[in-house]
Amino acid sequence: MSDLSPPAADPIALLKALIRCPSVTPTEAGVLDVLATALASLGFDVSRLRFEGDGSYPVDNLFATRAAPGGKPGPHLLFAGHTDVVPPGDPAAWTYPPFEAREAEGRIFGRGAADMKSGIAAFVAAIAQELQEGGLNAGRVSLAITNDEEAESVNGTEKILAWAAGEGHRFDFAIVGEPSSIARPGDSIKIGRRGSLNGLATVTGIQGHVAYPERALNPVPVLARVVTALSGPLDSGNPHFPPTNLEFTSVDVGNPTTNLIPLKAEGRFNVRFNTGFTPETLLERLRQRVAEVEANDPAAARARIDLAILQRPSVAFLTEQGAELDRLCALIERETGQRPELSTAGGTSDARFIARYCPVVEFGLPGPSMHKTDESVLIADVLALTGLYRAFIAGYLAAPKDGG
């Protein structure tokens, strides 16, 4: 059997085939062909979607959907993930070639093994195994797979979901296969993520000779006061999220002349914010703090202080406790003996786009090696995750019993 069509029910063979496609963002490198072939063999209707524009590069994506035989009613389960990977860096630094998918030491080594081709392979294999046993007898299951999550995320999941909605798809619950666990599959799932906003603070003063400071207005001390006023916690957090926090990441003047007071000084910052803020209300809070600096400092009042958002912010989201989340947690507890921790830690993910359409959680493998040299996953963990996915899919898409 060719590498393009490994057995869909074998998560290890499928994972190896996916890793062997060097799908560094946004290059697809055949990885969606592997998935399309596997899903078509399971009776899925597969749509290849190419989105472009909005100031970004074109991206190839995939949407696949399968209804129960006879269109039996039931919920619509969505699995979402990404096939793109970050660059491997120097291949010579790897113990095994990063796109060879070497099996050694009870692990599969390769770029994307943890983040997150293992999650995709496990979910597809879980579906295949359940179909072999006559399952999936009600409802619908779909997959939304992008090759643009590790970079700009402009022509990926957000547009797939908008397209799917236009095609009439309505989802009841979604799982994103991002590495979410800590020590073993299922010990932690993510029910939300903080938002992220990149910004620029610019102070414009009056350029002049350092020997005549009274004729100039130095923007550097003013920027220092702005940095102090904006840095650190902006609220006290809430039951699910830590405090919103702002960190300056660079301060630049661009002035090589030692006897010249510069015209401008700039500081770049990032804010990780909880569900107490939207990007708009967050920017308003920052402007209020700048106004306080201007009100209490004569130099700041004379200067011009501007705040700008760089790039498009990522919004915060939270999946509240509900029937689907309760069912998933109960399933994990039954299968592993431990109820999962409900976490909102970490950076951003494409789950933020899915949260607009249905409740969503991130549920995948432990990911301590993601983005690192010698990225790898335990084979036993991939098999365990496949089993957990299968158990949830089987219960979620089971036809109701007579009289039920």
Side-chain angles (χ1 to χ4, degrees):
M1 182 168 291
S2 71
D3 205 36
L4 182 64
S5 54
D10 183 345
I12 305 305
L14 184 54
L15 174 57
K16 289 179 179 179
L18 296 175
I19 291 174
R20 287 172 183 145
C21 301
S23 51
V24 176
T25 316
T27 304
E28 184 261 338
V31 70
L32 295 181
D33 293 333
V34 174
L35 272 183
T37 300
L39 291 168
S41 73
L42 301 177
F44 279 78
D45 294 324
V46 179
S47 299
R48 298 289 290 270
L49 306 170
R50 185 175 176 85
F51 299 120
E52 53 189 290
D54 293 329
S56 187
Y57 41 75
V59 175
D60 293 304
N61 306 277
L62 179 149
F63 182 84
T65 189
R66 182 188 184 279
K72 292 181 181 178
H76 191 167
L77 175 64
L78 174 68
F79 178 87
H82 64 91
T83 49
D84 63 314
V85 299
V86 298
D90 182 5
W94 287 65
T95 303
Y96 309 106
F99 296 110
E100 189 176 280
R102 182 73 65 86
E103 182 175 334
E105 307 163 32
R107 293 178 171 272
I108 303 295
F109 287 82
R111 175 58 84 224
D115 188 14
M116 57 155 282
K117 292 179 176 181
S118 54
I120 295 172
F123 193 86
V124 173
I127 292 171
Q129 292 173 14
E130 189 61 19
L131 283 171
Q132 289 177 348
E133 297 299 320
L136 303 186
N137 52 8
R140 179 181 290 271
V141 59
S142 298
L143 292 90
I145 307 296
T146 184
N147 207 61
D148 183 29
E149 192 271 350
E150 295 289 5
E152 295 182 2
S153 300
V154 171
N155 288 314
T157 300
E158 184 175 25
K159 290 188 176 180
I160 299 174
L161 270 291
W163 174 89
E167 293 293 308
H169 291 288
R170 300 292 181 267
F171 308 108
D172 296 295
F173 190 61
I175 293 174
V176 179
E178 287 281 2
S180 63
S181 300
I182 300 171
R184 59 167 180 76
D187 62 1
S188 175
I189 60 177
K190 295 188 186 300
I191 61 169
R193 294 272 194 159
R194 291 177 296 174
S196 177
L197 182 147
N198 291 309
L200 177 69
T202 302
V203 177
T204 304
I206 301 173
Q207 191 179 77
H209 198 294
V210 296
Y212 303 96
E214 70 279 2
R215 301 177 185 176
L217 176 57
N218 195 332
V220 177
V222 176
L223 180 60
R225 296 182 187 100
V226 171
V227 169
T228 300
L230 298 185
S231 293
L234 298 175
D235 62 17
S236 57
N238 61 44
H240 292 287
F241 289 93
T244 294
N245 190 71
L246 185 149
E247 295 293 334
F248 273 84
T249 56
S250 72
V251 173
D252 301 288
V253 178
N255 177 25
T257 308
T258 59
N259 63 350
L260 179 69
I261 293 173
L263 175 64
K264 288 185 179 180
E266 296 180 335
R268 291 177 180 264
F269 59 86
N270 176 269
V271 191
R272 295 301 167 111
F273 59 96
N274 58 47
T275 49
F277 283 108
T278 66
E280 294 75 20
T281 60
L282 177 59
L283 186 59
E284 180 59 29
R285 174 67 62 84
L286 300 183
R287 285 175 173 156
Q288 290 173 359
R289 290 202 171 187
V290 168
E292 293 171 3
V293 172
E294 293 171 329
N296 292 293
D297 183 86
R302 292 173 57 211
R304 192 179 80 211
I305 305 174
D306 297 306
L307 295 179
I309 295 177
L310 304 177
Q311 305 162 339
R312 185 175 57 163
S314 301
V315 299
F317 76 92
L318 177 69
T319 294
E320 301 285 356
Q321 203 81 18
E324 295 89 353
L325 180 57
D326 288 342
R327 180 182 296 184
L328 177 59
C329 291
L331 175 279
I332 293 173
E333 184 175 19
R334 186 180 73 238
E335 297 291 322
T336 68
Q338 179 180 337
R339 198 166 183 86
E341 174 191 356
L342 302 182
S343 171
T344 60
T348 61
S349 80
D350 278 3
R352 67 188 187 272
F353 302 126
I354 302 168
R356 304 172 189 170
Y357 297 88
C358 67
V360 57
V361 299
E362 296 174 38
F363 173 27
L365 291 183
S369 68
M370 60 182 175
H371 293 204
K372 293 182 179 180
T373 301
D374 285 343
E375 180 177 354
S376 66
V377 289
L378 285 168
I379 292 173
D381 282 352
V382 178
L383 297 176
L385 182 64
T386 303
L388 290 171
Y389 280 164
R390 182 182 173 186
F392 180 74
I393 294 168
Y396 196 69
L397 297 180
K401 296 179 181 179
D402 293 340

